[in-house]
Amino acid sequence: MMKKIFLLIFLWISVFFNAQSSIFQITYNGITPQAKLAIDKAAEIWSNILVSDVPIKINLNWVNASSLGFLGVCVSNGVKDFPNAPLTDVWYPSCLADAYAGTDLNPNQTDMDIYLDSSRNWYFGTDGNGPGNQFDLVNVALHEICHGLGFYSIANIDFQGIGSFSLEIDPNTSLLASFPIPNLAGKPLIFDLFIENQQGDLLANTNMFLNPSLGLANQFTSNNLFFNGSNATSANNNIPPKLYAPTTFSFGSSVLHLDETDFAPHTDDAVMTPYSSPGEANHNP
């Protein structure tokens, strides 16, 4: 039933070709004209794929993050139990919830906060033909927006080695969000419902994996997690695509990315792997 309702989270409704079918409203903070053109291009690409009557709101911060070590980071807003929600007690990214509800459920809040490191050696062009020593900004912006659209999980392992969904949030996440982080109360994000192990066991099935538990921690570091959405599986030669679950857990990287080995840099399906390489440019999510 769930597979029929949700085909692929980050392409969450249907594809309309050559016609903008959703609108992005981006609030820019500290942006340069060159960077804005590249980020606008990424939003345009997603606009031609996603279908929603409600504008998708982004708070975009162009900041020097050289001391923090990231290219970009996204904090996604969330809503549950909204009008027309397909499932109860499940958190949806707010822009997807808006699309289902047909209205802006949080009119005074953004759907996602994105931070991009202004100190990097960026390629600002929109043609995907940058030099091999520069990071393609369109590619990275596509990646971070995709997290805000729903390619997102709050999986974590605490200092005692206990794994959980939607319980332990890195304090820095709250500092980065412009909106109040809701009490997730251990309820799954919609992305979590499609995470399975090699045996086909769903990690959100609390009859098999208590939340929190050592069992979840073992799964998060098993190097054997997969996303079983129907479209994703079909597009991957009928094999559920492998998720990034290395033996050393990394909050914000583990579980909510595709596996870096199965989807190698510079290949067509590498947009949602955890790392981007200089010269890597994929503008077709």
Side-chain angles (χ1 to χ4, degrees), residues 44-176:
E44 177 189 339
I45 292 169
W46 279 119
S47 292
N48 293 330
I49 295 172
L50 305 172
V51 179
S52 178
D53 293 330
V54 184
I56 300 165
K57 298 172 295 184
I58 299 177
N59 188 39
L60 196 290
N61 303 279
W62 186 247
V63 297
N64 188 326
S66 56
S67 63
L68 300 177
F70 65 75
L71 281 174
V73 65
C74 177
V75 184
S76 179
N77 207 343
V79 185
K80 72 177 180 70
D81 299 329
F82 51 87
N84 300 323
L87 297 172
T88 59
D89 267 351
V90 174
W91 291 96
Y92 292 74
S94 59
C95 47
L96 176 55
D98 290 348
Y100 275 120
T103 189
D104 191 341
L105 298 167
N106 289 316
N108 297 319
Q109 298 178 14
T110 188
D111 292 309
M112 62 189 85
D113 287 295
I114 294 176
Y115 291 79
L116 296 169
D117 182 7
S118 62
S119 70
R120 297 290 181 149
N121 185 18
W122 291 107
Y123 177 66
F124 297 108
T126 60
D127 57 5
N129 293 319
N133 66 335
Q134 291 184 318
F135 292 98
D136 187 277
L137 183 55
V138 175
N139 183 80
V140 174
L142 283 170
H143 175 106
E144 297 304 336
I145 292 172
C146 189
H147 280 310
L149 296 172
F151 208 113
Y152 201 76
S153 174
I154 306 295
N156 201 8
I157 296 178
D158 66 18
F159 292 115
Q160 286 75 43
I162 303 299
S164 65
F165 281 121
S166 304
L167 286 175
E168 296 283 340
I169 300 176
D170 189 307
N172 291 325
T173 301
S174 299
L175 293 175
L176 293 174

Side-chain angles (χ1 to χ4, degrees), residues 168-277:
E168 296 283 340
I169 300 176
D170 189 307
N172 291 325
T173 301
S174 299
L175 293 175
L176 293 174
S178 65
F179 48 85
I181 299 291
N183 179 7
L184 301 178
K187 303 299 181 181
L189 277 63
I190 185 60
F191 183 87
D192 299 333
L193 299 185
F194 296 89
I195 302 172
E196 66 179 20
N197 61 20
Q198 197 167 33
Q199 291 72 43
D201 303 322
L202 294 171
L203 267 61
N205 181 354
T206 54
N207 291 323
M208 297 194 70
F209 304 104
L210 293 177
N211 184 30
S213 67
L214 179 60
L216 277 180
N218 290 337
Q219 295 297 318
F220 294 163
T221 54
S222 66
N223 198 32
N224 275 303
L225 294 185
F226 303 86
F227 185 87
N228 71 3
S230 300
N231 274 3
T233 300
S234 176
N236 195 45
N237 298 315
N238 294 317
I239 301 170
K242 190 175 183 180
L243 296 175
Y244 183 66
T247 55
T248 299
F249 184 85
S250 176
F251 182 83
S253 293
S254 296
V255 181
L256 69 158
H257 288 96
L258 294 176
D259 184 72
E260 191 81 20
T261 301
D262 277 29
F263 303 96
H266 304 281
T267 57
D268 289 344
D269 298 312
V271 170
M272 291 313 295
T273 58
Y275 304 107
S276 182
S277 304

